[in-house]
Amino acid sequence: MLLPTHENVINIVQAKFSCTEIVKTLHLNASITQKEWLDENRILALVEHDSTFALFIIISEKLKPESFSDLTIERAIPIDEHFSCDTDPIPESYTHIIFSIIYKKIKLNFVIEIGFESSNFASEVIRLKEISSLNVNDFHWLDKYSSGVSQTEINLQDPAMNDQSPDLPIARQKIAQGHGISANRESFLRYQLSLKEPEYTHLQEFSIFVGTWNVNGQPPTISLKNWLSIDQEPPDVYAIGFQELDLSKEAFLMFDTPREAEWRKAIMDAIHPDTKYRSVAYVRLVGMQLEVLVNNSHYKYIRNVAIDTVGTGILGKMGNKGGVAVRLELHNTSLCFVNAHLAAGVDEVERRNQDYNDINQRANFRRHPYTIREHDQVYWLGDLNYRITEQSAVQVKKHLANEDLASVLLADQLNQQKDLSKVLQDYSEGDITFQPTYKFDLNSDVYDTSEKARAPAWTDRVLWRGKGIHQLAYRSHMDLKISDHKPVSALFKSEICVVDQNKYRKVHEELLKKMDKLENEFLPQVTVDQSEVIFDIVKFREPQYREIIIANTGQVLAEFEFIKKLDDVSYCKEWLSITPFSGCIKPGEKCDLRLTVNLEQPLENIYDILVLHLMGGKDMFITVSGECQKSCFTTSIATLSRAPVPLLHLTPDQFNHAENQQSPILYSIPRELWLLVDHLYRNGLKTRELFESTALHEEIIRIRDWLDLGSMDQIPGSIHAVAEALLLFLSYTRDPVIPYHLHDTCIAASSNYQNCKQIIMQKMSDLDRNVFLYLSMFLQELLKYSNENGTDPKTLATIFGDILLRDPIRNSRPQANRGKASFIYHFLINDQSSLIMPCK
Amino acid sequence: MSAGPYNYSYIFKYIIIGDMGVGKSCLLHQFTEKKFMSDCPHTIGVEFGTRIIEVAGQKIKLQIWDTAGQERFRAVTRSYYRGAAGALMVYDITRRSTYNHLSSWLTDTRNLTNPSTVIFLIGNKCDLEGQRDVTYEEAKQFADENGLMFVEASAKTGQNVEEAFLETARKIYQSIQDGRLDLNAAESGVQHKPSQPGRNTLSSDQQFNKDNCAC
């Protein structure tokens, strides 16, 4: 749904796009919160092209763009599997919310105003995201919009992702709208748990053995014990990497090699015999293989294991060079092992650096989307292929013969490139105290005697990055001679963050409690200034008002509404009205409610319990009560005819006797009716529009009191007021003059006067008949003066038909009105004097 | 964000009923806030509290409706029984009249809830041993005869409060596992809520609240 005000804007925005790219919906005035971005007026637009969707961030020079030249497309984000969005509250703000767009590692936070626009936009984005996950999407059409974006992308990495407030960010708006904080619970909890990690963890040292060997395509014809089991204590973790496991074309092209199983078996045969190990992960890309094993007893503390491979060889992607990696979490510490085989060749330093960067950029472990650098500890091993330049093979060998490793290490390309921060920046490496591990003649300890006579080099290395890692040993293993490389190993004591389950449970429990507490605190809360509303004596058709004040004492928007009780048809009784009966109150603000009682029924008292409901919160009961004053207007004809004095002068006993028809009938028609009609007869026969004009409200009240209390004074009010009082009197008598059960008979008989007369004479009680005939005679009298008062029988028949034959629920059968009028009409135009009978 | 272990998978609706002044609101407060409210005003209406608990490794959100106990509100509070999965029926061990009225509360509960609703009888104020007016044994017998679970508890000290709320949830959860409680029935008082955080943010919770307003 689009707000009407946006229709113009959408056309302007559409002009920025081609005709196959359709702007579906917009959000204006989205301001971005990250400092790296210029504070501009931005528009978010959802654009469709060939059933794929993208979100565009557009800078607008004006708050509301007037032409497409006001707009600049800043960025296009495809809505695909990498896309997600979220909303977060802004502390202390009830009007705005943060709408975050997350794409891969990028998170953009927009401040948007809460309302239809934002909720429509957000729900549309979420809907499209769901659609996109079902399809294969081609986003080539976005290429033309993506130039010059990469800079911001780098700027927006990690810091933005961690941009969370240290306090629990409670989604006030969401709760206020009845959403609850549960949706965000998980992320709050995770974040809070990570902050409190020191409270429930301690560091425990684990020994980690990292080995690397370029095996030159040889099969494992020897035992690996002198490499893998050389330490006295069995390590807790093994990470063993091979390069050039198989140099055959088949391995390269078919990705399949018998060597894999052979070497894995060789590992299992050679690992430390004092402990049982279990393989955690295994990965191979062509000749690069990496296996991680752990001591059986630690296996259950390993979670979220994932592998990845990155080929950087031929065409920049084949697997003859590159890296394979395993990531896992041991207790609460994340570990990453990378086995790399970088570009060969003495002069290929830049290629090796490039390979390193490619591996870092491209490894992402899919299911557990972390980069290598995001791990607490990274162990980087492999044949990194950095050589010795600046010294000839002869010079190197001479230094080595003199056991002068230091001089040679000065010329080590890896050390040099690291110092220049071109590779393995911020990785550490232990002192090298072993001879170069490359290149030997096979099955010997003799450095390359071939024609090339390469200078010996430390191509095989182990480096690390992260806290709490202490290297205990770094060495080569000269006994293993089948390859032109010698294996290398490093042994570490690494501090692993171990969760104390009891403490964790406690911290977790406390956080849950805190969140429950907050959730309850953030339930809407209001107070009402009175829970019992008592009205003064309630009188017929004399409205009274009471005000109650609802104050929002909670911390969120309170949406209130009066609701129906079980089996009730309405939220309050028909004599009451409440304005407003629903609404919204901001925290700290108040709302006045007006309760109006207007009585039209014969009630002794009024009583009701109103239920004031808060959306997503509690209900409050408000009791409404009051005593009612009797009035002749709502009393039955039978009772009034038995009353010796005006109604309010009756003793309760007198009233009850009259009501129960135990006292004798004193008047053939109610006294009050006679007073009204007699006044009209004497004063109003020549008044125009006698029954068709409205009197003042106070006049009616004065006439009511005059009738109910009795008075020697003249009847108060204008002649029109008396006429209206007569109509009201007949409209509200407890029962209609013609009883309900006769109505259908009357309507059926309405075409025939004789039949109508029969009903009146035979089916009605004497009192009702008297009233009916008395009224019709008065109306006939009125019609005699129609020249002066302008009445006609049809109008009168319509007015009185509606009243004398009134429906139990007012005007419930408007289609019957014609029949009622016809029925009455007969009695206005035919002489009935013969029908009058004396009262018994 | 993936669905994690911290979102709840069920919502159970509870009601707390019983005579005026037996401590219904204090029990709720003790359960949700771990605090005793010493000057608790009479509830004029229906208070609402919530807490997430864990039963058999499942996170369950309890939505607790604490009703007014005054007799004059009885007709109105009956509207709130419908759709309750658990009913905590409370009396005051120091006032026999509150115990004597239990059968009338129980009749209402049986009539207005469904057969699988778990009814838990709580004898509150058990910290006031000196003023005891109802023995444990007779209340236990009443509970047994009527198939109710029963504890004596104290909203003041917190004794057995947690137990009563959690035991009720366990029983409800058990009914779900046994298939005695039909989750699809509109008035089961239980909502199964597969964790869908992405969607929750926009609609489903609201939907739930609306369903509950139709009193």
Side-chain angles (χ1 to χ4, degrees):
Chain A
M1 190 181 81
L2 199 63
L3 298 179
T5 51
H6 288 180
E7 294 215 12
N8 284 333
V9 181
I10 208 163
N11 291 332
I12 296 166
V13 174
Q14 180 66 60
K16 292 293 288 182
F17 295 89
S18 79
C19 57
T20 59
E21 296 160 358
I22 316 286
V23 179
K24 305 300 285 183
T25 188
L26 289 179
H27 195 292
L28 300 182
N29 304 332
S31 60
I32 207 158
T33 60
Q34 275 111 332
K35 289 190 275 305
E36 295 90 332
W37 288 53
L38 292 176
D39 189 12
E40 296 271 10
N41 179 36
R42 286 184 172 82
I43 296 174
L44 302 178
L46 279 172
V47 180
E48 179 192 4
H49 171 77
D50 193 16
S51 301
T52 63
F53 296 88
L55 194 143
F56 280 80
I57 302 165
I58 302 168
I59 295 179
S60 172
E61 283 178 26
K62 303 199 174 81
L63 201 61
K64 229 175 151 190
E66 285 156 24
S67 121
F68 75 91
S69 58
D70 292 339
L71 303 171
T72 315
I73 292 176
E74 190 176 39
R75 186 177 191 113
I77 302 172
I79 298 180
D80 61 15
E81 72 269 25
H82 303 294
F83 180 96
S84 64
C85 63
D86 205 352
T87 51
D88 273 306
I90 302 171
E92 310 301 327
S93 170
Y94 302 100
T95 52
H96 288 76
I97 193 161
I98 292 177
F99 180 62
S100 311
I101 293 162
I102 301 137
Y103 190 75
K104 290 185 178 165
K105 300 286 294 174
I106 307 157
K107 182 173 181 179
L108 301 174
N109 293 331
F110 293 91
V111 175
I112 58 177
E113 195 173 350
I114 297 168
F116 279 117
E117 188 187 10
S118 55
S119 69
N120 286 336
F121 188 80
S123 57
E124 185 67 5
V125 171
I126 286 167
R127 190 180 71 83
L128 295 180
K129 160 71 183 162
E130 283 178 9
I131 294 172
S132 78
S133 61
L134 304 174
N135 298 331
V136 176
N137 299 311
D138 179 358
F139 285 103
H140 280 310
W141 61 283
L142 292 179
D143 291 351
K144 58 184 178 288
Y145 299 109
S146 61
S147 57
V149 156
S150 55
Q151 192 53 42
T152 19
E153 195 155 337
I154 290 159
N155 285 346
L156 283 170
Q157 279 192 4
D158 304 1
M161 290 302 282
N162 296 326
D163 182 23
Q164 290 195 45
S165 99
D167 252 318
L168 287 182
I170 297 301
R172 294 179 176 206
Q173 291 77 10
K174 287 181 199 163
I175 303 165
Q177 291 155 13
H179 294 318
I181 63 166
S182 44
N184 283 339
R185 262 181 99 94
E186 188 196 352
S187 52
F188 298 158
L189 198 60
R190 217 171 23 205
Y191 178 64
Q192 289 289 306
L193 280 170
S194 72
L195 285 185
K196 288 175 182 289
E197 195 179 75
E199 290 181 28
Y200 59 83
T201 58
H202 63 269
L203 296 175
Q204 188 178 318
E205 286 190 332
F206 280 66
S207 56
I208 299 179
F209 180 101
V210 178
T212 175
W213 193 12
N214 182 323
V215 295
N216 191 231
Q218 306 296 327
T221 51
I222 54 166
S223 163
L224 309 183
K225 281 200 160 130
N226 284 341
W227 174 36
L228 302 180
S229 298
I230 201 162
D231 298 303
Q232 204 166 7
E233 295 291 322
D236 295 301
V237 179
Y238 272 112
I240 302 159
F242 294 111
Q243 304 85 36
E244 298 192 0
L245 196 79
D246 191 338
L247 293 168
S248 68
K249 264 201 193 106
E250 288 74 18
F252 181 65
L253 294 174
M254 310 303 290
F255 292 98
D256 196 24
T257 169
R259 293 278 191 274
E260 176 180 315
E262 291 168 24
W263 281 103
R264 289 191 72 190
K265 181 171 183 303
I267 292 175
M268 293 315 285
D269 289 344
I271 47 180
H272 212 288
D274 294 355
T275 303
K276 289 263 178 292
Y277 288 93
R278 190 157 169 187
S279 177
V280 170
Y282 166 78
V283 56
R284 186 176 65 82
L285 176 66
V286 190
M288 294 171 284
Q289 172 170 318
L290 176 63
E291 177 135 32
V292 176
L293 304 140
V294 293
N295 180 325
N296 247 350
S297 60
H298 303 313
Y299 188 80
K300 60 176 178 237
Y301 301 111
I302 290 193
R303 285 172 301 139
N304 301 331
V305 180
I307 58 169
D308 203 359
T309 63
V310 178
T312 61
I314 301 164
L315 299 174
K317 58 183 179 185
M318 300 303 273
N320 55 325
K321 290 290 185 302
V324 293
V326 171
R327 64 95 48 205
L328 56 89
E329 282 148 41
L330 173 57
H331 291 278
N332 253 27
T333 300
S334 60
L335 306 179
C336 182
F337 299 96
V338 185
N339 172 23
H341 190 191
L342 307 184
V346 174
D347 299 324
E348 297 293 342
V349 175
E350 288 302 331
R351 273 303 313 274
R352 288 192 269 279
N353 294 351
Q354 177 64 45
D355 286 353
Y356 165 80
N357 285 328
D358 285 351
I359 294 168
N360 264 316
Q361 264 174 28
R362 283 157 56 191
N364 61 25
F365 301 102
R366 294 171 200 95
R367 239 166 10 102
H368 298 276
Y370 292 94
T371 61
I372 291 169
R373 297 174 61 83
E374 280 175 316
H375 291 81
D376 297 327
Q377 300 183 356
V378 185
Y379 299 88
W380 194 290
L381 55 132
D383 177 0
L384 308 186
N385 253 328
Y386 289 90
R387 306 300 172 83
I388 305 296
T389 39
E390 303 158 19
Q391 293 183 14
S392 70
V394 178
Q395 277 175 306
V396 171
K397 285 176 183 169
K398 196 174 144 197
H399 285 305
L400 295 176
N402 296 335
E403 297 191 354
D404 179 10
L405 295 182
S407 302
V408 187
L409 283 165
L410 280 178
D412 174 60
Q413 287 175 340
L414 179 57
N415 289 345
Q416 292 170 346
Q417 294 298 308
K418 240 172 88 48
D419 288 345
L420 294 169
S421 289
K422 293 235 171 127
V423 73
L424 288 160
Q425 309 85 336
D426 62 29
Y427 277 78
S428 307
E429 189 183 19
D431 290 341
I432 294 180
T433 56
F434 51 87
Q435 302 261 319
T437 51
Y438 178 74
K439 172 177 182 159
F440 293 95
D441 290 342
L442 295 188
N443 298 311
S444 78
D445 289 334
V446 180
Y447 285 109
D448 188 14
T449 55
S450 71
E451 254 175 61
K452 282 192 188 169
R454 295 175 185 84
W458 287 280
T459 50
D460 307 287
R461 312 284 275 262
V462 178
L463 295 90
W464 73 89
R465 177 179 188 278
K467 271 198 296 189
I469 304 174
H470 312 286
Q471 196 177 55
L472 302 178
Y474 192 26
R475 63 231 157 163
S476 65
H477 305 271
M478 298 298 280
D479 304 349
L480 289 82
K481 302 182 192 201
I482 53 172
S483 167
D484 57 350
H485 290 254
K486 295 286 186 272
V488 166
S489 72
L491 185 66
F492 298 95
K493 274 264 178 261
S494 301
E495 290 172 354
I496 300 294
C497 196
V498 176
V499 175
D500 181 320
Q501 284 303 328
N502 286 331
K503 285 183 187 162
Y504 173 81
R505 220 169 288 137
K506 219 174 123 198
V507 169
H508 185 225
E509 204 62 3
E510 267 164 21
L511 278 172
L512 283 181
K513 258 182 231 165
K514 191 171 164 189
M515 283 164 57
D516 281 330
K517 188 162 175 280
L518 280 168
E519 191 164 350
N520 283 304
E521 276 173 11
F522 282 107
L523 288 172
Q525 286 296 345
V526 302
T527 55
V528 290
D529 66 335
Q530 49 190 326
S531 61
E532 285 186 55
V533 179
I534 302 169
F535 284 93
D536 294 338
I537 302 289
V538 183
K539 299 175 184 173
F540 176 74
R541 278 178 63 104
E542 190 174 338
Q544 274 188 54
Y545 311 99
R546 287 286 184 275
E547 299 225 315
I548 56 178
I549 302 165
I550 308 182
N552 185 342
T553 52
Q555 314 195 44
V556 296
L557 201 67
E559 227 177 314
F560 71 86
E561 184 185 10
F562 284 92
I563 57 171
K564 287 192 293 187
K565 297 182 289 290
L566 206 63
D567 305 329
D568 277 4
V569 288
S570 173
Y571 61 88
C572 68
K573 294 277 194 290
E574 62 273 23
W575 38 262
L576 189 72
S577 61
I578 309 170
T579 46
F581 80 97
S582 68
C584 255
I585 314 171
K586 288 180 185 169
E589 294 191 358
K590 292 176 179 180
C591 179
D592 290 355
L593 300 186
R594 189 180 169 108
L595 271 55
T596 307
V597 63
N598 188 16
L599 186 69
E600 296 186 338
Q601 299 91 336
L603 294 176
E604 283 187 25
N605 52 52
I606 53 168
Y607 182 80
D608 196 12
I609 297 172
L610 307 173
V611 182
L612 177 61
H613 172 68
L614 298 183
M615 296 298 207
K618 64 177 180 177
D619 290 2
M620 277 161 295
F621 297 161
I622 296 170
T623 312
V624 177
S625 61
E627 298 239 348
C628 302
Q629 180 174 293
K630 290 187 184 69
S631 170
C632 63
F633 282 83
T634 52
T635 309
S636 70
I637 289 167
T639 305
L640 290 174
S641 303
R642 288 175 165 89
V645 290
L647 203 63
L648 294 176
H649 293 304
L650 288 178
T651 63
D653 273 355
Q654 281 177 313
F655 181 82
N656 288 339
H657 285 141
E659 188 88 328
N660 301 332
Q661 309 196 5
Q662 291 159 338
S663 50
I665 294 171
L666 302 176
Y667 303 103
S668 51
I669 58 166
R671 201 179 55 90
E672 290 79 2
L673 179 65
W674 177 78
L675 285 168
L676 292 170
V677 171
D678 185 58
H679 183 81
L680 292 175
Y681 177 75
R682 278 193 270 133
N683 305 298
L685 288 180
K686 294 175 181 173
T687 308
R688 295 193 72 82
E689 298 182 332
L690 187 61
F691 291 112
E692 290 157 69
S693 54
T694 327
L696 290 174
H697 193 71
E698 299 81 59
E699 289 183 293
I700 302 292
I701 288 173
R702 283 209 301 277
I703 293 170
R704 178 200 70 197
D705 290 346
W706 184 83
L707 290 170
D708 286 342
L709 288 162
S711 169
M712 301 304 285
D713 298 341
Q714 259 288 334
I715 188 164
S718 67
I719 194 73
H720 282 115
V722 177
E724 192 179 335
L726 173 63
L727 294 180
L728 284 173
F729 178 87
L730 296 168
S731 301
Y732 286 101
T733 47
R734 186 168 297 182
D735 305 300
V737 175
I738 298 174
Y740 292 129
H741 70 269
L742 292 179
H743 288 192
D744 286 340
T745 324
C746 291
I747 292 162
S750 64
S751 58
N752 183 311
Y753 172 52
Q754 288 308 320
N755 291 352
C756 295
K757 205 162 69 174
Q758 222 166 14
I759 295 170
I760 296 297
M761 297 315 292
Q762 293 173 7
K763 303 258 171 85
M764 280 171 73
S765 72
D766 292 348
L767 275 173
D768 288 342
R769 186 188 314 114
N770 288 346
V771 170
F772 182 84
L773 294 174
Y774 178 68
L775 282 170
S776 57
M777 284 177 71
F778 163 68
L779 294 176
Q780 287 199 4
E781 206 57 34
L782 194 64
L783 286 167
K784 287 182 187 161
Y785 296 88
S786 54
N787 284 339
E788 281 117 305
N789 60 31
T791 50
D792 66 281
K794 284 193 175 147
T795 309
L796 286 181
T798 306
I799 294 170
F800 281 85
D802 199 27
I803 291 170
L804 300 178
L805 288 150
R806 72 166 195 261
D807 295 323
I809 298 163
R810 261 162 237 283
N811 287 322
S812 57
R813 298 190 304 168
Q815 71 281 5
N817 286 351
R818 206 194 172 93
K820 294 177 188 173
S822 321
F823 180 86
I824 300 298
Y825 185 74
H826 295 297
F827 296 90
L828 301 186
I829 56 165
N830 294 299
D831 179 24
Q832 275 103 44
S833 51
S834 60
L835 304 178
I836 304 285
M837 292 189 294
C839 186
K840 282 174 200 162
Chain B
M1 228 169 285
S2 62
Y6 305 117
N7 274 320
Y8 51 89
S9 33
Y10 292 96
I11 302 172
F12 290 176
K13 176 184 169 178
Y14 281 17
I15 49 164
I16 313 180
I17 49 169
D19 274 11
M20 179 169 75
V22 296
K24 296 180 294 299
S25 298
C26 290
L27 284 167
L28 171 64
H29 198 75
Q30 177 64 252
F31 179 67
T32 58
E33 310 270 314
K34 298 264 177 296
K35 270 191 218 132
F36 177 61
M37 266 194 304
S38 48
D39 296 315
C40 181
H42 287 311
T43 305
I44 300 176
V46 177
E47 292 286 338
F48 180 79
T50 165
R51 194 178 135 184
I52 292 184
I53 57 159
E54 198 177 306
V55 171
Q58 294 279 344
K59 293 277 185 305
I60 293 165
K61 180 170 183 155
L62 300 184
Q63 281 193 335
I64 308 153
W65 302 75
D66 160 37
T67 62
Q70 289 177 54
E71 182 60 34
R72 64 194 176 106
F73 295 132
R74 191 80 178 256
V76 187
T77 51
R78 283 192 181 109
S79 314
Y80 294 85
Y81 286 61
R82 198 176 60 174
L88 306 183
M89 195 165 73
V90 188
Y91 70 95
D92 175 355
I93 67 153
T94 69
R95 277 191 297 146
R96 176 157 286 278
S97 63
T98 68
Y99 174 80
N100 292 340
H101 293 151
L102 284 178
S103 52
S104 126
W105 289 109
L106 185 60
T107 307
D108 272 4
T109 312
R110 296 252 198 252
N111 288 342
L112 297 163
T113 62
N114 61 63
S116 59
T117 300
V118 173
I119 307 173
F120 204 113
L121 179 64
I122 300 177
N124 192 29
K125 308 194 188 178
C126 72
D127 52 296
L128 302 175
E129 189 56 47
Q131 300 167 40
R132 181 184 281 279
D133 203 11
V134 181
T135 66
Y136 178 87
E137 288 70 25
E138 60 183 315
K140 177 79 177 115
Q141 191 185 342
F142 174 82
D144 288 345
E145 282 165 3
N146 290 286
L148 314 177
M149 306 208 280
F150 171 61
V151 286
E152 286 190 347
S154 166
K156 190 169 183 180
T157 66
Q159 185 190 338
N160 279 343
V161 174
E162 192 89 357
E163 286 77 355
F165 281 86
L166 297 189
E167 199 52 47
T168 306
R170 265 179 227 124
K171 193 85 181 262
I172 296 166
Y173 186 71
Q174 193 60 48
S175 300
I176 298 170
Q177 298 300 302
D178 298 348
R180 266 177 292 144
L181 198 150
D182 178 11
L183 288 182
N184 297 321
E187 299 186 358
S188 69
V190 173
Q191 266 214 342
H192 190 41
K193 191 167 173 168
S195 301
Q196 279 182 305
R199 303 184 63 125
N200 287 352
T201 52
L202 282 162
S203 66
S204 48
D205 237 9
Q206 190 176 36
Q207 191 58 47
F208 180 76
N209 285 330
K210 270 188 188 150
D211 290 345
N212 269 295
C213 308
C215 303

